[in-house]
């Protein structure tokens, strides 16, 4: 944990933004937490709670809420972006209207933008002028906000093109409850965090259909193969997917009732329509949007992603989930190790 205390802006007062604000406040940092909602701002500042997202959690006095982005960013060097992927560009465009000093952007959302097919770090790099863009750091890993806010042991990874920036963010967040590792592979950390939401949706559908543990174990394992296959083609280190941002995040998101992607999939598996599921969730389900982006990426890189393809058909072409599962199982036979051989071959070709 760093001995230097600073003011940090956290943009987004949902469950994850609030939980990370709590971690930083535990480390003695002053947190300026931005929310769009006036009522939420008053609750955080006067009652020191955020009941909608983290019920029964008391927030330290070091966390103050703001509805003005300019106020939230006053005197700040580090800004934590905790808004959904679809709100990233809008938020960044608001920031650059008034921001004059360089900022380190730490993004903690997990998604890929459809159509542009950009990772979040690439979206930040595209939107923020060089004069105010100091560094970009990604924080990812198996970390449910509900458990982080209870100070249950959690481990995550941070990555950046600038390892000094990653190490600074490591020091900023790390404490006895929240352990932070650095990882040199920015692409892999972002891809692993984004694509695991697709597999979590599929795992939820499987559970909703009542298929049990065998099916879910298969989805997680073959899902990891898909993530590794596409990630490697995009320039990631395949070893990243055996770490926190890969298999770690995949396991927790596919198996936990805290996972909004698993919960959304579970409702789909029980026969609910996508529009109704998203309406009832009350929070953004990143996996739905990411499925569209991953489907496009699979075509761009000529990458086989059968689980992603089936999920895309369920979400966007109204294919019956049970029939889709049967199609997945009926594919042509193959060798389990072909993925590993292909990845190793690609790595050797790059040497």
């Amino acid at each position: 944990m760093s001995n230097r205390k600073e003011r940090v802006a956290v943009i987004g007062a949902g469950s994850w933004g609030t939980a990370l604000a709590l971690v930083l406040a535990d480390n003695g940092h002053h947190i300026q937490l931005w929310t769009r909602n006036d009522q939420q701002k008053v609750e955080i500042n006067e009652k020191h709670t955020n009941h909608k997202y983290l019920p029964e959690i008391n927030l330290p006095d070091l966390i103050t809420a703001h509805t003005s982005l300019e106020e939230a960013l006053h005197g700040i060097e580090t800004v934590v972006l905790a808004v959904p992927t679809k709100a990233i560009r809008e938020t960044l465009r608001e920031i650059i209207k008034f921001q004059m000093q360089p900022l380190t952007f730490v993004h903690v959302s997990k998604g890929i933008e459809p159509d542009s097919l950009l990772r979040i770090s690439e979206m930040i790099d595209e939107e923020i002028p060089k004069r105010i863009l100091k560094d970009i750091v990604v924080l990812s890993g198996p970390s449910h906000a509900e458990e982080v806010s209870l100070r249950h042991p959690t481990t995550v990874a941070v990555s950046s093109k600038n390892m000094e920036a990653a190490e600074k963010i490591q020091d900023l967040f790390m404490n006895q409850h929240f352990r932070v590792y650095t990882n040199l592979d920015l692409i892999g950390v972002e891809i692993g965090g984004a694509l695991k939401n697709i597999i979590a949706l599929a795992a939820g559908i499987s559970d909703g259909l009542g298929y049990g543990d065998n099916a879910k174990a298969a989805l997680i394992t073959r899902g990891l193969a898909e993530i590794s296959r596409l990630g490697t083609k995009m320039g990631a280190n395949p070893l990243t997917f055996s770490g926190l941002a890969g298999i770690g995040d995949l396991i927790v998101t596919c198996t936990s009732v805290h996972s909004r992607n698993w919960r959304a999939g579970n409702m789909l598996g029980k026969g609910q329509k996508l529009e109704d599921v998203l309406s009832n969730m009350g929070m953004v389900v990143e996996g739905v949007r990411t499925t569209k982006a991953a489907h496009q990426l699979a075509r761009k890189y000529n990458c086989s992603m059968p689980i992603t393809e089936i999920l895309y058909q369920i979400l966007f072409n109204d294919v019956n989930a049970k029939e889709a599962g049967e199609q997945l199982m009926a594919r042509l036979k193959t060798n389990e190790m072909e993925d590993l051989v292909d990845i190793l071959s690609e790595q050797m070709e790059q040497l």
Side-chain angles (χ1 to χ4, degrees):
M1 183 171 67
S2 172
N3 291 323
R4 178 174 176 259
K5 308 308 175 189
E6 63 176 271
R7 292 187 176 275
V8 180
V10 177
I11 308 303
S15 56
W16 192 216
T18 306
L20 290 175
L22 182 63
V23 172
L24 291 166
D26 280 349
N27 291 348
H29 304 295
H30 292 264
I31 311 306
Q32 295 169 191
L33 179 62
W34 178 78
T35 171
R36 295 181 183 275
N37 188 296
D38 282 316
Q39 188 175 353
Q40 188 183 34
K41 167 190 163 183
V42 171
E43 180 192 351
I44 291 170
N45 290 337
E46 295 184 0
K47 297 182 179 179
H48 304 291
T49 60
N50 189 356
H51 186 77
K52 178 180 178 180
Y53 293 102
L54 294 175
E56 300 179 14
I57 297 296
N58 294 318
L59 303 176
D61 293 344
L62 287 171
I63 299 174
T64 57
H66 305 263
T67 50
S68 163
L69 261 178
E70 190 168 4
E71 286 181 10
L73 288 172
H74 180 71
I76 293 297
E77 296 178 11
T78 303
V79 53
V80 178
L81 286 173
V83 297
T85 306
K86 68 178 183 180
I88 291 284
R89 288 192 187 274
E90 176 190 353
T91 304
L92 295 175
R93 288 168 185 171
E94 288 298 313
I95 288 174
I96 63 175
K97 289 179 181 178
F98 56 81
Q99 185 65 29
M100 302 300 294
Q101 301 303 315
L103 293 171
T104 294
F105 288 86
V106 183
H107 84 74
V108 300
S109 303
K110 299 172 180 178
I112 298 169
E113 187 176 46
D115 302 325
S116 77
L117 305 183
L118 295 180
R119 307 186 318 274
I120 295 175
S121 66
E122 294 174 310
M123 295 165 64
I124 297 170
D125 193 50
E126 191 172 87
E127 292 288 345
I128 300 297
K130 300 303 179 188
R131 61 181 173 81
I132 62 172
L133 180 57
K134 185 177 180 183
D135 287 297
I136 302 171
V137 180
V138 55
L139 183 151
S140 189
S143 47
H144 287 309
E146 295 83 354
E147 296 182 5
V148 170
S149 66
L150 292 170
R151 299 176 177 85
H152 289 174
T154 300
T155 55
V156 297
V158 291
S159 186
S160 174
K161 291 180 180 178
N162 178 0
M163 268 298 105
E164 287 186 7
E167 288 168 359
K168 180 198 170 185
I169 301 308
Q170 180 184 39
D171 289 340
L172 205 67
F173 277 96
M174 188 157 164
N175 61 34
Q176 67 270 35
H177 310 295
F178 198 80
R179 182 168 179 80
V180 185
Y181 291 84
T182 56
N183 187 313
L184 294 168
D185 182 16
L186 178 65
I187 296 174
V189 170
E190 286 189 287
I191 291 297
L195 297 189
K196 55 88 183 180
N197 286 327
I198 299 173
I199 309 305
L201 275 169
I205 290 173
S206 177
D207 285 337
L209 289 167
Y211 283 163
D213 295 337
N214 291 354
K216 186 154 62 175
L219 280 169
I220 292 172
T221 307
R222 298 310 302 165
L224 182 63
E226 287 193 18
I227 294 170
S228 302
R229 195 184 303 132
L230 179 61
T232 303
K233 284 180 177 289
M234 294 177 68
N237 182 338
L239 292 177
T240 296
F241 303 113
S242 65
L244 292 168
I247 189 64
D249 208 359
L250 185 63
I251 290 170
V252 78
T253 312
C254 289
T255 61
S256 174
V257 294
H258 294 313
S259 166
R260 66 188 69 170
N261 289 281
W262 179 89
R263 295 203 312 271
N266 191 251
M267 287 187 272
L268 289 169
K270 290 178 178 176
Q272 295 188 37
K273 295 291 185 183
L274 179 61
E275 316 85 73
D276 297 330
V277 169
L278 297 179
S279 175
N280 292 333
M281 286 292 294
M283 293 184 285
V284 173
V285 181
E286 288 278 16
V288 174
R289 201 165 182 260
T290 305
T291 299
K292 181 179 179 183
H295 183 259
Q296 294 171 327
L297 282 167
R299 295 193 172 191
K300 176 181 177 180
Y301 286 95
N302 191 27
C303 181
S304 174
M305 299 183 72
I307 298 172
T308 301
E309 173 63 31
I310 287 294
L311 186 60
Y312 179 86
Q313 298 302 329
I314 294 171
L315 295 177
F316 300 110
N317 291 332
D318 203 28
V319 171
N320 178 274
K322 190 173 187 301
E323 292 176 3
E326 291 170 354
Q327 291 174 29
L328 191 63
M329 291 295 289
R331 291 180 307 119
L332 293 174
K333 63 183 182 179
T334 185
N335 187 306
E336 184 185 18
M337 292 297 107
E338 281 183 6
D339 293 319
L340 181 59
V341 172
D342 290 344
I343 289 171
L344 290 174
S345 296
E346 289 176 9
Q347 291 292 300
M348 291 299 292
E349 288 173 3
Q350 295 171 14
L351 293 178

